[in-house]
């Protein structure tokens, strides 16, 4: 028998030595609630970053949808599922069948102990405060990592304007780096213990997806963060 740890509507980081999953609805309610308004529903970017955050920590996202009284899935829930699905069509290999890497993410400088001020269920958009919309003085997760076989995936909540430095990532002679969904060349160089990556300069209509972007790092060393 396998014991699975389950939690609901959480905003905290997790390190579990057993299978676990995060359970939440697309809105604040678990299922359909006719009293919810647009602002109660999680944005597509936040849902995708929530998925990346959980999977990078070795977890599974259980995302609930609920039919209305007529048995139909509300259009906004349909839209969110289609948006997630479109993102996964490009970046699914960074999610499906992956495992936690030697670290789940890369932090910027600052206080990592941000907590939601919500008293009850934490809104899905709370992940934005931990990634792209931080409060003053707080650190953010600028990269999520997952792993599958010899490949490590770096999931970026923001598309870098020029370069991004992956700290304590060591390449090998056969290392290859690519942006999922794009055939544009990714330039990179090793600088000591860090990997400096120059992103392709893309127009808006050349971006392979919305919301988050994935670098595939093929054949790098798997060493612990220091």
């Amino acid at each position: 028998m396998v014991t699975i740890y389950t939690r609901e509507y959480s905003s905290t980081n997790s390190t579990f030595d057993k299978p676990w999953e995060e359970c939440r609805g697309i809105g604040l309610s678990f299922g359909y609630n006719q009293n919810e308004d647009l602002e109660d529903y999680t944005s597509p970017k936040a849902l995708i970053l929530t998925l990346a955050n959980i999977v990078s920590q070795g977890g599974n996202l259980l995302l609930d949808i609920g039919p209305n009284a007529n048995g139909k899935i509300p259009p906004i829930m349909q839209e969110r599922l289609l948006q997630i699905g479109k993102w996964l069509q490009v970046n699914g290999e960074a999610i499906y069948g992956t495992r936690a890497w030697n670290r789940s993410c890369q932090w910027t400088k600052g206080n990592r102990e941000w907590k939601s001020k919500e008293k009850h269920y934490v809104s899905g958009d709370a992940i934005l405060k931990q990634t792209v919309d931080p409060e003053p003085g707080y650190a953010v997760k600028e990269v999520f990592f997952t792993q599958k076989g010899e490949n490590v995936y770096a999931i970026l909540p923001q598309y870098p304007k020029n370069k991004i430095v992956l700290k304590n990532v060591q390449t090998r002679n056969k290392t290859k780096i690519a942006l999922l969904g794009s055939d544009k060349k990714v330039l990179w160089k090793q600088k000591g213990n860090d990997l400096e990556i120059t992103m392709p300069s893309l127009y808006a209509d050349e971006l392979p997806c919305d919301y988050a972007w994935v670098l595939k790092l093929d054949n790098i060393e798997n060493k612990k963060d220091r």
Side-chain angles (χ1 to χ4, degrees):
M1 180 180 296
V2 177
T3 300
I4 299 177
Y5 179 80
T6 302
R7 64 182 196 179
E8 297 183 357
Y9 292 84
S10 176
S11 66
T12 59
N13 300 319
S14 306
T15 303
F16 301 121
D17 58 359
K18 56 187 175 183
W20 72 278
E21 72 177 13
E22 172 83 13
C23 177
R24 67 161 49 247
I26 292 179
L28 287 176
S29 297
F30 192 77
Y32 176 69
N33 182 343
Q34 65 179 354
N35 294 315
E36 286 188 324
D37 293 319
L38 179 62
E39 60 267 21
D40 296 316
Y41 285 90
T42 306
S43 68
K45 185 176 183 74
L47 286 170
I48 287 165
L49 293 182
T50 294
L51 175 64
N53 184 44
I54 291 169
V55 173
S56 72
Q57 297 174 74
N60 177 69
L61 173 61
L62 174 60
L63 185 64
D64 180 76
I65 58 172
N68 61 22
N70 296 321
K72 292 190 61 80
I73 303 301
I76 190 170
M77 293 189 182
Q78 295 181 42
E79 180 183 48
R80 291 294 184 268
L81 294 177
L82 289 170
Q83 289 162 328
I84 296 171
K86 186 176 180 180
W87 186 84
L88 286 169
Q89 283 180 337
V90 176
N91 304 294
E93 68 174 277
I95 300 295
Y96 297 125
T98 60
R99 296 291 183 268
W101 192 40
N102 62 44
R103 59 188 183 275
S104 64
C105 68
Q106 177 174 298
W107 288 92
T108 62
K109 293 181 180 180
N111 184 356
R112 301 182 183 183
E113 301 303 320
W114 181 87
K115 301 291 184 183
S116 172
K117 298 180 178 63
E118 294 166 296
K119 295 181 180 180
H120 302 292
Y121 285 166
V122 175
S123 120
D125 283 338
I127 188 65
L128 301 180
K129 290 295 181 185
Q130 301 170 61
T131 51
V132 298
D133 185 28
E135 295 177 0
Y138 283 92
V140 297
K141 299 177 178 182
E142 60 180 351
V143 187
F144 297 104
F145 295 105
T146 61
Q147 181 179 22
K148 184 191 301 179
E150 293 295 319
N151 299 323
V152 171
Y153 299 91
I155 304 172
L156 311 177
Q158 298 189 82
Y159 193 89
K161 294 180 179 179
N162 187 6
K163 298 177 181 178
I164 184 166
V165 176
L166 301 183
K167 301 172 185 176
N168 198 37
V169 174
Q170 192 72 40
T171 57
R172 297 171 172 166
N173 291 335
K174 296 182 179 180
T175 295
K176 297 179 181 179
I177 301 177
L179 175 64
L180 292 188
S182 175
D183 59 2
K184 300 292 185 180
K185 188 174 182 179
V186 177
L187 302 178
W188 56 271
K189 61 182 176 180
Q190 193 74 46
K191 296 188 71 173
N193 290 324
D194 301 333
L195 176 59
E196 182 180 272
I197 298 175
T198 301
M199 301 294 291
S201 296
L202 302 176
Y203 291 107
D205 60 355
E206 293 179 311
L207 290 170
C209 61
D210 296 321
Y211 312 122
W213 298 268
V214 180
L215 290 167
K216 181 179 180 179
L217 315 178
D218 182 15
N219 199 5
I220 63 171
E221 290 187 10
N222 186 15
K223 61 182 182 179
K224 295 291 184 180
D225 194 9
R226 288 186 288 185

